[in-house]
Structures are given as structure tokens and as C-alpha cells.
């Protein structure tokens, strides 16, 4: 039997307009641990974390934490990475790669004897994985080496993503410090993008829906922006952004569904000022985490990662608990947010929904590139199903605009 923890978060029954900061720890909630070093969010807005011995899922809708380990599932231990596939699947690396089956709440072995610290699948199901400083490609039963970090090194791959054209992008740090692309056949070093600016080590890669790669280097709190379509790049440091100040450390950066870049930073990795930055393509916004959470100046507070769910909530795992930030909370009550439900998820031919008595002004479905694929623009109270049979397999966002102009966003997977 799966072990579930009923989670009591201090949610307000209604939310006023403005910014909101919350932190959840073992003192004020049933969160399983204060020290959360990673986070992944799936297509249903469930939050996933792992420790060495357990995997945890937080179901936001039902306020339930569930723990999975070798005692209550077929998982083993020594968990290293959680990846969300293009089909919305949750995949977890340990002694092999396991896929979560939401129908029976169990994990199925997907790749036997594939041990990796980080991995990703392309749209054709080809696996790319990182192990011992090398990157491998697994296509069916064939395994080939894509990158050998010992040549001209040592060089250590740090992150990898697949773009909309099915190209693998990965970064390395060490003697070389570079960004590479791999089209399935040949490797491109892309050294030309560093000609006009200093070469920096890259520890994180995020891909937005306009074919831009966002590259974070960590210790100097600097961001590179590389346009795949235009093959040019921009450098964000202390001369043109709030980033790059002396002594600042940036752990992670991510792109939200509206194409905003979010960056977390602090001094020496753990000392105030501790900030969250947002870049909307034109302007930078700065949010003080230490002021929002009343963290003392000399108090150690380490942030490990950042993720954004479909409702615009920014989640930051730390060594002091789980931080949640929302820049523009609306007047919609949590009960209204829960009233509108979509099912099944994943869906094959029809996506059903229950409006819970609410009148919806419009419904819009967009793909991960931000393109609108289905739209209804009249007041809707009786509509309870949308034909999605023409959509290709993958993840989508569905937005419900209410008559008071508030918007409720949800994510679903088309099988």
C-alpha cells in the first residue's frame, strides 16, 4: 500500500491582489523534510522531489504528499534525477529509468541497467543520458557515445535539453567551457557564439517557446541568451541587468509558460540578500526573498532550484523548507480554483471538464510553444467537453477566462 501524508498548508480561503510569499516546513505543515534540494513539476501540476532513498509527490489539488521507496513500490534507491517527457510522463533515474503510471499509482521499468545522473528523451523516444562525464545516446538497443569529456579535459557535462527541432543541446564546464548541439549524427561545438563576450561555465539550460536558450553560469550570476533561429546571443551581467554583482551566486533559472525568465540568487550561495529575478524580454523585476520571508541578514538560507507551475506559482526548494511565490495573485478563491476540473488527464480524443457552476467567458488551448490550437470565445456554462483528437501527442495548457476577467490555467497531456 502506498504511504500518503495528508498535507495541511496554510492556504487562505481568499487571496487578495498582490505578491504573496509562503514557506512550508515541518514546523507548520506535514511536508516530509525541510531539506529539499530538487523539484520537478508534471503536466498535472504535481510537485516531485527525491532524496537518496525516497521519491515524493505533492498533489496540489488534493493537498496530499505521497512517498515512494523500495518498501512500497518497485523502485530501488539512490535517486538522481526526475524528468518530464514530451508526452507528460514522469521518469525517474536510479539503477535504471522508471516511468510513473498514474492509473495504478506504480512505477514501471523503462530502461534496465541504465545508471545516469541526468537524462532526457527526444520526441522519437531516443534517450540521451549523462554518466561519469560522458553523454550517451540509446536508440532501441543501440548505445553510442555522443560526447567524451576526457578529450581536451577533463570537462563535465552540466545540463542537457531537447529543442523543438529535436536537437540535443548540452553544456560542459572544465577546461573547455562550451555549449554543444547534436542533431543525431554530428556534434557542433558552437565556439563562435563566444567571440564577442567572455566564455563562462554553464550549469543550467532553459528553453523558451521562441527558440531561445537561456544559459546560467552560477558563480558570477550571469545569463546568456542564445537564439537558435537567428544564431546570435546576448549577455546579461551587471552592465545591463541586476545580475552579475560581485559575490553573487545563481543556482538555477527557468522559463514560465508566458516566456518569462526567472533566476534565483544570493551572496556566497546562502547569505542575504537573497533575490528572485524575472525578465520579461524587456524589463527586469527584482523580488527580495529575505524580506518577503523575514530572513535575517546573517541567517544561512540555501536555494537549490526553481520551477514554475501552470498557475504562475514559483516554487523554490531550500534547506529550510519549500518556498512558494506568486507575483500576481488574483481575487479568485482557492475553492473556485478547485471547482473547475479537467479529466481524463492524459486524454486521447476528448478532454472533459466540470465548470463547477462558473460561467467561463473563453477557453484557450495552447501548445508548449505558446501557439493557440483551440479557442472558444463566447460565454460558456453548458460546454463540458472539447474534441482534441486532431492534436498531436504532447503537453498542452488550457486557460479558462471567467467573466470577472480572472484566468485559471491547467495543464494536460494529449495521448
Amino acid at each position: 500500500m502506498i504511504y500518503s501524508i495528508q498535507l495541511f498548508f496554510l492556504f487562505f480561503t481568499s487571496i487578495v491582489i498582490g505578491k504573496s510569499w509562503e514557506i512550508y516546513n515541518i514546523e507548520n505543515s506535514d511536508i516530509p523534510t525541510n531539506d529539499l534540494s530538487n523539484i520537478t513539476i508534471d503536466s498535472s501540476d504535481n510537485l516531485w522531489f527525491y532524496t537518496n532513498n525516497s521519491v515524493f509527490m505533492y498533489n496540489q489539488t488534493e493537498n496530499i504528499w505521497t512517498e515512494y521507496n523500495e518498501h512500497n513500490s518497485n523502485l530501488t534507491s539512490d535517486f538522481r534525477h526526475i524528468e518530464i517527457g514530451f508526452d507528460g510522463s514522469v521518469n525517474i533515474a536510479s539503477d535504471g529509468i522508471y516511468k510513473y503510471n498514474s492509473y495504478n499509482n506504480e512505477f514501471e521499468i523503462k530502461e534496465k541497467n541504465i545508471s545516469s545522473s541526468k537524462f532526457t528523451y527526444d520526441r522519437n523516444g531516443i534517450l540521451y543520458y549523462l554518466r561519469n562525464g560522458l553523454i550517451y545516446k540509446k536508440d532501441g538497443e543501440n548505445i553510442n557515445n555522443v560526447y567524451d569529456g576526457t578529450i581536451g579535459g577533463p570537462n563535465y557535462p552540466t545540463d542537457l535539453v531537447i529543442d523543438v527541432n529535436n536537437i540535443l543541446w548540452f553544456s560542459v564546464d572544465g577546461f573547455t567551457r562550451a555549449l554543444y548541439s547534436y542533431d543525431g549524427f554530428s556534434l557542433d561545438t558552437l565556439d563562435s557564439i563566444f567571440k564577442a563576450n567572455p566564455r563562462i561555465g554553464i550549469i543550467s539550460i532553459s528553453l523558451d517557446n521562441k527558440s531561445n536558450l537561456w544559459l546560467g553560469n552560477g558563480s558570477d550570476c550571469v545569463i546568456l541568451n542564445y537564439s537558435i533561429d537567428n544564431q546570435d546571443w546576448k549577455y546579461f551581467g551587471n552592465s545591463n541587468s541586476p545580475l552579475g554583482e560581485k559575490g553573487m551566486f545563481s543556482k538555477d533559472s527557468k522559463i514560465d509558460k508566458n516566456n518569462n525568465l526567472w533566476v534565483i540568487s544570493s551572496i556566497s550561495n546562502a547569505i542575504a540578500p537573497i533575490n528572485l529575478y524575472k525578465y520579461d524580454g524587456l524589463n527586469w523585476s527584482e523580488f527580495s526573498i529575505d524580506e518577503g520571508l523575514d530572513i535575517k541578514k546573517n541567517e544561512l538560507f540555501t536555494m537549490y532550484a526553481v520551477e514554475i507551475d501552470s498557475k504562475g506559482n514559483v516554487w523554490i526548494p531550500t534547506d529550510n523548507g519549500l518556498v512558494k511565490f506568486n507575483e500576481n495573485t488574483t481575487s479568485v478563491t482557492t475553492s473556485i480554483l478547485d471547482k473547475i476540473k479537467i479529466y481524463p488527464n492524459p486524454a486521447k480524443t476528448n478532454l472533459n471538464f466540470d465548470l463547477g457552476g462558473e460561467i467561463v467567458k473563453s477557453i484557450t488551448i495552447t501548445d508548449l510553444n505558446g501557439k493557440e490550437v483551440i479557442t472558444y470565445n463566447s460565454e460558456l456554462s453548458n460546454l463540458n467537453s472539447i474534441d482534441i483528437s486532431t492534436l498531436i501527442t504532447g503537453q498542452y495548457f488550457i486557460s479558462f477566462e471567467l467573466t470577472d476577467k480572472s484566468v485559471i490555467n491547467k495543464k494536460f497531456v494529449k495521448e
Side-chain angles (χ1 to χ4, degrees):
M1 180 178 294
I2 299 299
Y3 169 54
S4 296
I5 306 171
Q6 294 291 332
L7 177 66
F8 176 69
F9 277 174
L10 302 179
F11 287 121
F12 298 100
T13 56
S14 62
I15 306 173
V16 296
I17 296 175
K19 303 175 183 64
S20 66
W21 291 96
E22 297 172 87
I23 185 166
Y24 307 118
N25 51 47
I26 58 176
E27 285 76 29
N28 67 11
S29 71
D30 287 329
I31 196 169
T33 176
N34 280 347
D35 194 1
L36 296 169
S37 61
N38 57 86
I39 183 172
T40 307
I41 300 179
D42 68 20
S43 58
S44 299
D45 272 346
N46 298 313
L47 278 58
W48 291 83
F49 307 87
Y50 64 87
T51 61
N52 186 56
N53 297 316
S54 295
V55 171
F56 298 94
M57 179 185 73
Y58 168 54
N59 184 318
Q60 291 193 64
T61 303
E62 299 179 5
N63 291 349
I64 295 176
W65 280 89
T66 305
E67 179 179 5
Y68 304 95
N69 53 46
E70 60 185 352
H71 301 296
N72 60 18
S73 73
N74 63 344
L75 293 176
T76 54
S77 61
D78 193 22
F79 302 108
R80 300 165 189 170
H81 183 63
I82 301 178
E83 181 80 4
I84 308 300
F86 286 106
D87 60 355
S89 60
V90 178
N91 304 283
I92 300 172
S94 59
D95 61 336
I97 297 178
Y98 294 81
K99 178 180 178 180
Y100 175 65
N101 188 328
S102 60
Y103 295 107
N104 60 16
N105 204 27
E106 189 52 272
F107 294 86
E108 303 165 351
I109 187 68
K110 191 171 182 179
E111 308 285 352
K112 290 184 178 180
N113 304 318
I114 295 292
S115 177
S116 65
S117 56
K118 189 167 287 190
F119 67 90
T120 188
Y121 285 92
D122 71 9
R123 287 170 170 79
N124 297 320
I126 295 174
L127 170 68
Y128 294 94
Y129 63 97
L130 168 62
R131 183 174 66 193
N132 299 328
L134 284 74
I135 293 180
Y136 296 91
K137 171 187 176 182
K138 183 176 185 293
D139 185 359
E141 297 301 319
N142 299 316
I143 298 178
N144 298 296
N145 179 242
V146 172
Y147 174 79
D148 186 346
T150 63
I151 299 176
N155 297 303
Y156 305 97
T158 54
D159 205 0
L160 65 169
V161 299
I162 300 289
D163 71 13
V164 294
N165 299 313
N166 233 21
I167 304 297
L168 172 72
W169 297 82
F170 65 93
S171 54
V172 302
D173 197 9
F175 281 30
T176 300
R177 290 187 169 184
L179 174 70
Y180 291 88
S181 69
Y182 179 74
D183 63 3
F185 303 97
S186 60
L187 194 66
D188 188 343
T189 61
L190 295 167
D191 284 341
S192 61
I193 74 168
F194 292 99
K195 284 184 177 179
N197 288 275
R199 181 184 293 275
I200 66 172
I202 299 167
I203 65 168
S204 66
I205 306 177
S206 294
L207 180 67
D208 68 20
N209 57 32
K210 294 183 179 179
S211 295
N212 290 305
L213 289 171
W214 294 88
L215 316 171
N217 86 314
S219 58
D220 298 326
C221 195
V222 170
I223 294 289
L224 300 180
N225 169 226
Y226 178 69
S227 171
I228 297 173
D229 289 343
N230 300 326
Q231 296 185 348
D232 61 6
W233 70 294
K234 299 176 183 177
Y235 178 94
F236 293 97
N238 58 16
S239 63
N240 60 352
S241 78
L243 306 176
E245 294 299 327
K246 184 178 180 180
M248 296 300 290
F249 181 95
S250 173
K251 179 62 178 177
D252 198 14
S253 60
K254 287 293 189 303
I255 303 293
D256 66 20
K257 63 166 291 187
N258 296 316
N259 237 33
N260 298 311
L261 171 74
W262 294 87
V263 183
I264 51 175
S265 76
S266 63
I267 290 182
S268 301
N269 193 25
I271 302 175
I274 304 170
N275 294 318
L276 173 67
Y277 298 104
K278 186 188 81 168
Y279 180 63
D280 63 6
L282 295 174
N283 301 303
W284 287 88
S285 301
E286 181 176 342
F287 309 99
S288 174
I289 296 177
D290 47 300
E291 291 181 5
L293 298 174
D294 194 26
I295 299 171
K296 306 304 179 185
K297 184 175 181 179
N298 295 321
E299 182 179 352
L300 294 179
F301 191 90
T302 304
M303 301 178 294
Y304 294 108
V306 61
E307 281 285 356
I308 304 98
D309 65 24
S310 66
K311 300 178 181 66
N313 297 310
V314 180
W315 297 90
I316 305 171
T318 78
D319 61 349
N320 284 270
L322 179 63
V323 173
K324 176 185 176 184
F325 172 73
N326 194 297
E327 179 188 12
N328 296 304
T329 54
T330 69
S331 58
V332 179
T333 64
T334 54
S335 59
I336 292 178
L337 290 174
D338 292 338
K339 271 185 179 180
I340 297 181
K341 301 181 184 299
I342 60 174
Y343 61 94
N345 192 6
K348 290 184 178 180
T349 56
N350 287 83
L351 181 68
N352 305 316
F353 46 87
D354 182 355
L355 298 178
E358 297 297 321
I359 298 178
V360 174
K361 184 177 179 181
S362 66
I363 299 175
T364 303
I365 295 178
T366 58
D367 62 18
L368 292 183
N369 296 320
K371 179 182 177 182
E372 294 185 3
V373 291
I374 297 176
T375 303
Y376 291 88
N377 287 315
S378 58
E379 289 193 0
L380 308 167
S381 58
N382 297 321
L383 185 67
N384 56 17
S385 181
I386 292 179
D387 182 1
I388 60 170
S389 59
T390 59
L391 300 181
I392 63 173
T393 300
Q395 298 182 63
Y396 294 86
F397 295 100
I398 182 167
S399 299
F400 299 89
E401 183 183 2
L402 305 183
T403 52
D404 64 359
K405 296 186 179 181
S406 59
V407 177
I408 296 174
N409 298 306
K410 293 180 179 292
K411 192 187 295 184
F412 71 94
V413 173
K414 165 63 167 61
E415 286 188 324

